[in-house]
Structures are given as C-alpha cells and as structure tokens.
Amino acid sequence: MAKLITTAPLALGIALAANPAHAQDITTEEAQAMLERLEALEAESAELRARLTAAEAAAAEATAVAAAAQADTTAVQAEVEVAKEEAAKTPTISSFKKADGFTLKPRGRLQFDMGGVGAPDAIDEDGLGNSTEVRRARLGVSGDLPGDFGYKFELDFADSEVAFTDALVTYETGDATFTLGQHNNFQGLEEITSSNDISFMERAAFTDAFGFERRLGVSAEYGAGDLTVWGGVFSSNISDLGDDGEQGYSFDTRAVFSPSVGDAQLHFGGSLHWRDLDNDGRSVRYRQRPQLHVTDVRFLNTGSLPTYTELNYGLEAAALFDRFHIAAEGHWMKPDVIFGEDPTFFGGYAEIGYVFTPGYERGYSGGKFKGVAPVKNGSWSGFGALSGNLRYDRLDLSDNGIVGGTQDAIMASLSWSPNAYMRFLVNYANIAYEDAAISAAGDRDYDVDVVGARAQFAF
C-alpha cells in the first residue's frame, strides 16, 4: 500500500497526459487541491515507512533476546542434570517426616584419638607417653515438631558412661528462637563451634580450664540483619544436679556482628557471664591438660579456691575469605574468692588456616565456624579437602598470689576430609610452661611436646 501511495502523483500525471480533453475540464483550483491531497498522502506514506522500519528492528531484537534466553535455559538445564547426577553419587542420611510436620533425623559422631606427651625425663607421672581413647561416641536425634517447635537429644557413650550432651526443645517465632533444656551458654566462638569442625583435636586451653560446658537453662536468640544476640539463665550440667551435685545459677549473654564485605565474611563478638556458685561459697579449681585429652596429667593447676561467684567475659574476631581464615579470641575469668584478693585469669589464641585443595573452603553460619566443605553448588569428589592450621595459644592461671602456672603453645594441624562424613586430623604442639604445677627435679619452667591423631565419623 505504501508503494501504491508513493507512485500516485506519477500515475496522475500520466493519466492527464493521456486524456487532455478531460484535463481541460479540471479547473486550476481543483488541480491545486488534488496536488495538496497527494502531497499529504505522500507524507503519511513516509511516516508509515518509518514506523514499519522501527517495527522490523524491534522484531529482530526480540528474536535475538529470545534466542539468547533459550540458550541460557538450555545451559541451566544441563547444569541441573549434572547436579542431579552428582547428588545421586553422594550418600545421604535418611530422615523421617509425617504429614503434620513432625520430622526425625538421626545424628551421631565417633572420634577415636591417639597421641602422646613428651615431657622432661625428671617428670614421673602416669598418663604421659602414648595412649588411645574414644574421645566422643554420640548418638541422637533432632527434628521439627508441629507448631514451630523443634528438638534435639543426644547421648555420649565415651569413657564407659552414658551422659546427656544436648537435650532441648526450641520454639521459633519471627526472628527469635527460644530454647529450653541442656545446651551451650554462649561462651564464645571456639566453644560454640562443634567438635566436628574445630581446627585442632582440642579447643583452646581456656575453654576447658575455665569449666565451659553445657548447662540446663532457658535462653533466647534474636537476629536482625548481621547482628545476633543471645541471652539466658542457666543452672548446672544435668549430670551435676541432685542432692549432692552442684547448685547455683548464671546469667549469660553473647552478641555477634557478622557482615559480609565483598567476598569476605567477617565476625566480631563478645560474651559476658556471671555465675553464683551457691550461697555459702564452694571450692573451684582451674587446671588444664597439655592440648591432648588422652592424658589426665595437668601441668597447670590453681588448686581449690573457695569462691562465691564467677565473672568472666570474652572478645572474639574472625574473617574468612576464599580458602583462608583467621580467628582470635581472649577470655578473662574473675572468681570472687573468699580469702585474699580476687585474681584475674586469662586465656586466648590467634589462628590462621588455609584449605589447600581448590574448590573447598571453611564454612561459617550462626555465629560459629563450620567444617570444610565444597564451595557453593559444589560436591565432594576426588581426593576431598586438605587443610592446615597454625595457632598460638596462651593460658595464664597466676595472679594475686595464686600460682597456677602459665603456658604458651605453638600448634600446627593438618586435616583431611575425603567426604562429608569422615575426617582425619593430626596435631603437633610445643608448650612452654612457667611455674608449672608439676616439678621436673625442682624445675617448674620447661617445655613439652605433644603429638596426636584423630579419626572421625559424623553424620
């Protein structure tokens, strides 16, 4: 039609030339009107041609976008199929689920340790040298209950005894979670991190020396963006309750700010704890093994301290970026002793770690470290993950006339995880003691060497 309109003036001229008699009948005014009409039609034709050209360009662009989208869809479908194939190769632990929302998932861990302590020859103590033990042997279940409730129960069968570790129920509402039962009372990054995922066979020296453990209590957790706050009231560990067991109560709180900056995950936190041991005062002691649980020998020991209350607080910081991580923590313990001035004991560490195997990195969530795992959308394959860690660990149990000794440890570990459920770990530590609780022929300042290894299965 546009072509027809474009050629109209030419056709009119030819017609007039072919029929001059009829042309003489057309007045000048009529001819001028016809020409103006033809010019208007030609302008409209030009506008229509421009619109048609724009429409054809838009159609071509839409066709190109559709082709690209189809290519992307095909690529995503291919990735999904590959992920399904990889997932089919990875064993899973089955869980039970009912239609009303009740779920049950089995959980457990087995840690078999061996190691030895090389101390000066003048020290004659049982428990040195080489030994082995089942460090942890736990079985339990966890899951959801109807109405936003959850639960977790776990028993430890190590040391030929049966003891509760976690025994709790939870309730979630909005950004808050409430917990009732035996659970950790937020002592810090190192203590909160699962024993399945810690960098060394044993946690930092201060966690055991200061008596950190799960206790029976009620607590709340609230998260708002990068900030998470915990708080609770606790009694004692379930195994210590009863007529002859420990009594008393504590108030415990912890806060963590964990922003992501670029590819880096940052962690800054602090905790505060106040504990009333009982109304009449009770003897406590602070002591520690040489970074290995297979021995019962404690080179640091304050002896019994009659104490009314304990005030302790800690600061923590960490960062994860790609395959690197760093962490540091400090904790201060201030017992309110019945006799003499109140001492202040200190423990802390600084650590750096690196995952040697590409495609794996250390995990982090919920204000604590997780184990080494494949990067996002990855899967376990081939050799698995190999990582190494270096740490400086200090514990000072001497202050205000109380001489429990100090230790400075230089530590290294190598960890291999061939899959999501198994882990093999080796440790070495050189520990320098001052004012040790055990004398080496009258000398209380000396070094010991510690070597350990662990085989772990957890699900």
Side-chain angles (χ1 to χ4, degrees), residues 189 265-269 316-321 325-328 364 369:
L189 175 63
Q265 172 65 61
L266 305 182
H267 170 104
F268 305 98
E316 56 197 73
L320 302 91
F321 32 93
H325 80 267
I326 56 175
Y364 173 92
F369 280 126

Side-chain angles (χ1 to χ4, degrees), residues 53-78:
T53 301
E56 289 175 346
E61 181 179 357
T63 301
V65 171
Q70 180 62 37
D72 290 342
T73 301
T74 303
V76 170
Q77 289 176 343

Side-chain angles (χ1 to χ4, degrees), residues 47-62:
E47 182 180 354
L48 288 174
R49 286 200 305 274
R51 290 182 181 181
L52 179 60
T53 301
E56 289 175 346
E61 181 179 357

Side-chain angles (χ1 to χ4, degrees), residues 7 13 35 55 62 69 76 88 99 117 133 173 202 205 209 255 265 270-271 302 304 327 341 381 408 413 417 424 437:
T7 58
L35 288 174
V76 170
V117 180
E133 71 168 346
T173 174
E202 298 300 323
Q265 172 65 61
S271 63
T302 63
S304 296
E341 285 191 62
S381 62
D408 293 277
S413 71
S417 299
F424 299 92

Side-chain angles (χ1 to χ4, degrees), residues 113-144:
D113 289 2
M114 60 184 301
V117 180
D121 293 337
I123 297 178
D124 183 16
E125 290 281 342
D126 293 334
L128 299 180
N130 300 316
S131 54
T132 60
E133 71 168 346
V134 177
R135 180 66 176 92
R136 295 176 179 90
R138 297 180 183 175
L139 287 175
V141 293
S142 62
D144 299 321

Side-chain angles (χ1 to χ4, degrees), residues 104-443:
L104 184 148
K105 180 180 179 180
R107 57 188 304 116
R109 72 190 70 178
L110 177 63
Q111 296 174 347
F112 180 77
D113 289 2
M114 60 184 301
V117 180
D121 293 337
I123 297 178
D124 183 16
E125 290 281 342
D126 293 334
L128 299 180
N130 300 316
S131 54
T132 60
E133 71 168 346
V134 177
R135 180 66 176 92
R136 295 176 179 90
R138 297 180 183 175
L139 287 175
V141 293
S142 62
D144 299 321
L145 297 169
D148 299 320
F149 287 91
Y151 67 93
K152 180 181 178 182
F153 298 101
E154 194 172 67
L155 293 172
D156 196 329
F157 300 89
D159 297 327
S160 301
E161 297 179 357
V162 179
F164 276 106
T165 52
D166 288 311
L168 58 91
V169 293
T170 63
Y171 175 71
E172 294 187 15
T173 174
D175 295 325
T177 300
F178 298 91
T179 303
L180 172 65
Q182 174 153 296
H183 57 293
N184 197 293
N185 57 323
F186 336 119
Q187 298 99 337
L189 175 63
E190 181 81 342
E191 181 68 17
I192 291 289
T193 298
S194 169
S195 64
N196 292 331
D197 304 326
I198 54 179
S199 302
F200 296 82
M201 291 172 61
E202 298 300 323
R203 293 183 172 92
F206 71 86
T207 63
D208 187 49
F210 295 162
F212 293 170
E213 63 180 353
R214 293 173 174 85
R215 292 174 182 160
L216 186 64
V218 58
S219 69
E221 173 187 343
Y222 178 78
D226 296 328
L227 179 66
T228 307
V229 179
W230 296 263
V233 181
F234 292 83
S235 178
S236 298
N237 188 278
I238 289 178
S239 62
D240 295 323
L241 298 177
D243 294 337
D244 298 326
E246 297 180 8
Q247 302 300 320
Y249 59 91
S250 69
F251 297 99
D252 303 86
T253 185
R254 179 177 181 239
V256 167
F257 179 59
S258 53
S260 296
V261 180
D263 294 333
Q265 172 65 61
L266 305 182
H267 170 104
F268 305 98
S271 63
L272 177 65
H273 315 268
W274 181 85
R275 186 182 185 198
D276 185 295
L277 299 175
D278 61 37
N279 293 330
D280 299 324
R282 181 173 57 83
S283 292
V284 296
R285 60 182 174 182
Y286 306 100
R287 57 181 187 165
Q288 178 59 5
R289 295 176 173 91
Q291 301 293 345
L292 198 63
H293 192 269
V294 297
T295 178
D296 284 329
V297 175
R298 272 84 166 184
F299 289 97
L300 297 187
N301 194 339
T302 63
S304 296
L305 303 175
T307 304
Y308 288 121
T309 64
E310 290 178 331
L311 173 66
N312 63 92
Y313 48 89
L315 296 174
E316 56 197 73
L320 302 91
F321 32 93
D322 195 30
R323 290 186 276 164
F324 279 99
H325 80 267
I326 56 175
E329 194 168 357
H331 210 95
W332 293 261
M333 171 65 75
K334 298 173 67 70
D336 178 15
V337 297
I338 296 176
F339 305 107
E341 285 191 62
D342 296 339
T344 299
F345 304 131
F346 171 78
Y349 68 89
E351 171 188 316
I352 183 171
Y354 181 70
V355 181
F356 299 109
T357 313
Y360 297 86
E361 60 187 32
R362 189 166 194 183
Y364 173 92
S365 69
K368 58 188 175 182
F369 280 126
K370 296 293 187 178
V372 174
V375 296
K376 189 175 181 180
N377 298 326
S379 61
W380 289 92
S381 62
F383 179 78
L386 182 68
S387 60
N389 303 279
L390 296 173
R391 172 180 285 186
Y392 167 69
D393 187 299
R394 177 171 175 79
L395 180 61
D396 185 350
L397 299 182
S398 295
D399 191 47
N400 281 348
I402 297 172
V403 183
T406 65
Q407 72 171 43
D408 293 277
I410 303 297
M411 308 169 59
S413 71
L414 191 65
S415 174
W416 174 46
S417 299
N419 53 55
Y421 308 112
M422 300 181 67
R423 184 187 186 201
F424 299 92
L425 183 67
V426 292
N427 279 181
Y428 169 76
N430 175 264
I431 308 176
Y433 289 99
E434 292 185 7
D435 297 320
I438 300 173
S439 172
D443 187 5

